[in-house]
Amino acid sequence: MYQQKIYLTFDLEEFDITSEFKSSIEWQEQINVSVDGLKNLLQVLNKHEVTATFFTTAAFANEQPAIVKQLSLTNEIASHTFYHSSFKNEDLKNSILALQQITGENIYGLRMPRMRQVDVQVIKQAGFTYDSSINPTRLPGRYNYTHLPRTSFFDQNLLRIPASVSPFFRLPLFWLAFKNMPYKLYKYLAKRTLEKDGYLNLYFHPWEFANLDKYNLPGYVKKPSGVQLLKKLDRLITDLKTMGAFDQLKNFEH
């Protein structure tokens, strides 16, 4: 019997989102917030013994190589390019090399920061076998990808695995939806999407699971965070475990 698959994915990056709201913080604090959130997040993942995919910037990995190496023992490490807030095409290959050096593992997947679109040939030439840089919905002020397929597809022989959206109205299931939707509605949409597509590709950020109260961020970005959000994720994983098996995106079968 075909088993439905659940892919929990996390963009492991420097905590630079404050710069989008005209409030910058020091580099080391950006790293520390992500480390704090990651440590909290791993308590829940380890409790449930589920594996995940961490799209990791090479900059974060270079700052915390021991943490990323340990993470790679039970999870997939994929690329979130080199830096979260700047990009050059050569960052793709350089991020692979840096992450391979730290983990000793092959790097297969890419997710561009903020779902930025990059030429498919550039992605392939860097050495990636899959890309998960599409949120096939409309997010005002950010992007509109409703013209792209809602589920996995091949683009010039590159496997592209969009973030999950609902089969009706393409309601997004990404991190902001998880934060701001009533839990019962989010669970309903996730269940319907899983039943329709046979898989879920959900994405979050480890920094969300740190305490963000002191930062100058809009409420829809900041709350809930820390312990409150951890409890919500714990509840979600508990419910999803009854619906399918958790896996890493590198094992995705189109």
Side-chain angles (χ1 to χ4, degrees), residues 214-228:
K214 72 177 185 178
Y215 295 104
N216 184 25
L217 292 168
Y220 69 87
V221 172
K222 182 162 58 176
K223 296 182 178 180
S225 66
V227 172
Q228 189 177 1

Side-chain angles (χ1 to χ4, degrees), residues 147-160:
H147 63 289
L148 295 175
R150 193 180 59 78
T151 55
S152 64
F153 64 101
F154 282 99
D155 185 355
Q156 302 173 60
N157 293 318
L158 177 72
L159 176 61
R160 309 199 75 177

Side-chain angles (χ1 to χ4, degrees), residues 117 133-137 144-151 153 155 160 162 170:
Q117 293 302 290
S133 303
I134 298 171
N135 194 356
T137 187
N144 183 2
Y145 295 149
T146 55
H147 63 289
L148 295 175
R150 193 180 59 78
T151 55
F153 64 101
D155 185 355
R160 309 199 75 177
R170 293 193 177 216

